[in-house]
Amino acid sequence: MPQRPTRHPSAPIRQANIVAVASGKGGVGKTWLSITLAQYFARQGIRTLLFDGDIGLANVDIQLGLMPDRDLGSVIAGRFGLADAVMPSEAGFDIIAGKSGSASLATLDQAALNGLRDELCQLARSYDKVVIDLGAGVDGVVRTLSQAAGTILVVTNDEPTALTDAYAFIKLARMADKTADVRVVVNIAATTREGERTYGKLNKAAENFLKFSPPLAGVIRRDEKVRDAIRNQMPLLTRHPMCDAAEDVEAIASGLTGAIARARY
């Protein structure tokens, strides 16, 4: 297997130009949001990499209609280095595809996970922005890869299970690192106001039990054009660039551009 870079023990893991998109449970729109954020950044002339870190249930390539020759499975198997798995997309950003349906990848030992995380951090230096589409939940893979991110977006909706699982993710992230920049995205909201109410419920729980108030990164309104874009395996900003959901994601992305500027200098 190719030698992975060794991180000095005292060196910080988190990099300001990496944003991880997480969720406590599946089905809340995490992958779609990751793709749309990456496309928005690319359209601003920002050199962007989308890393599919949903090991075992990867679907970035499926949503984009891609058939990669190399993916994360090839890297972990030792056939390629991480940089060799990078492929361009028509949406303007680079991609490292995950490996769908491979349970063995989810059972990587901690040393291998740390090596993958550190190699991603090294590769991130070649980009202005890296978006990590994390797997749903709070397993070891998710926690390890999230350590690379300067910002973590936790995606939820108004379902009680989604809110409960989002809270669990925030709790574990804060237990691991109280300096972690964790923000909330409420997706599939009936209206912006309803999304803010949903955020309020999650924020109240975090304040009461964690003594922490995660900022609201933004609310994404329910929009059937999102489903249409996914069904047609096209990025939203390509198929429906003027829709409500696109406008909402662009507002979230613009709030992250300060981290991009800091990472460049």
Side-chain angles (χ1 to χ4, degrees), residues 22-28 30 135-139 142 153-156 161-170:
S23 67
K25 70 183 292 290
V28 297
K30 172 180 54 61
V138 292
D139 63 19
V142 171
L153 300 180
V154 181
V155 186
T156 188
T161 53
L163 287 169
T164 299
D165 292 346
Y167 169 81
F169 181 94
I170 293 170

Side-chain angles (χ1 to χ4, degrees), residues 101-139:
S102 179
S104 62
L105 300 186
T107 59
L108 287 173
D109 62 36
Q110 191 59 49
L113 287 174
N114 290 346
L116 179 64
R117 176 201 61 206
D118 293 350
E119 192 170 1
L120 177 60
C121 286
Q122 180 171 328
L123 181 60
R125 297 170 188 162
S126 302
Y127 289 88
D128 298 319
K129 200 68 174 174
V130 174
V131 179
I132 305 176
D133 177 26
L134 293 172
V138 292
D139 63 19

Side-chain angles (χ1 to χ4, degrees), residues 13-14 20 22 53 110 113-114 117 134-149 152 168-169 171-177:
I13 296 173
R14 299 190 185 280
Q110 191 59 49
L113 287 174
N114 290 346
R117 176 201 61 206
L134 293 172
V138 292
D139 63 19
V141 177
V142 171
R143 294 197 303 273
T144 300
L145 291 179
S146 68
Q147 292 171 352
I152 304 172
F169 181 94
K171 178 180 179 180
L172 288 175
R174 291 285 295 178
M175 287 175 61
D177 181 3

Side-chain angles (χ1 to χ4, degrees), residues 17-22 29-42 46-54 58-66 68 70-72 82-83 85-99 120 123-124 126-135 145 153 234-236:
N17 66 328
I18 300 179
V19 56
V21 183
K30 172 180 54 61
T31 296
W32 162 80
L33 175 60
S34 299
I35 292 170
T36 310
L37 285 172
Q39 187 178 21
Y40 173 84
F41 292 136
I46 297 165
R47 181 166 164 74
T48 303
L49 172 68
L50 175 58
F51 178 88
D52 191 345
D54 194 351
N59 57 14
V60 164
D61 54 327
I62 295 172
Q63 287 200 21
L64 292 174
L66 303 175
R70 302 176 182 181
D71 58 25
L72 194 54
L82 197 61
V86 173
M87 64 177 294
S89 74
E90 293 182 359
F93 53 87
D94 288 347
I95 296 172
I96 294 179
K99 179 65 174 177
L120 177 60
L123 181 60
S126 302
Y127 289 88
D128 298 319
K129 200 68 174 174
V130 174
V131 179
I132 305 176
D133 177 26
L134 293 172
L145 291 179
L153 300 180
M234 293 180 64
L236 184 69

Side-chain angles (χ1 to χ4, degrees), residues 206-217:
E207 286 183 333
N208 288 343
F209 299 106
L210 305 179
K211 309 304 179 187
F212 168 65
S213 181
L216 176 63

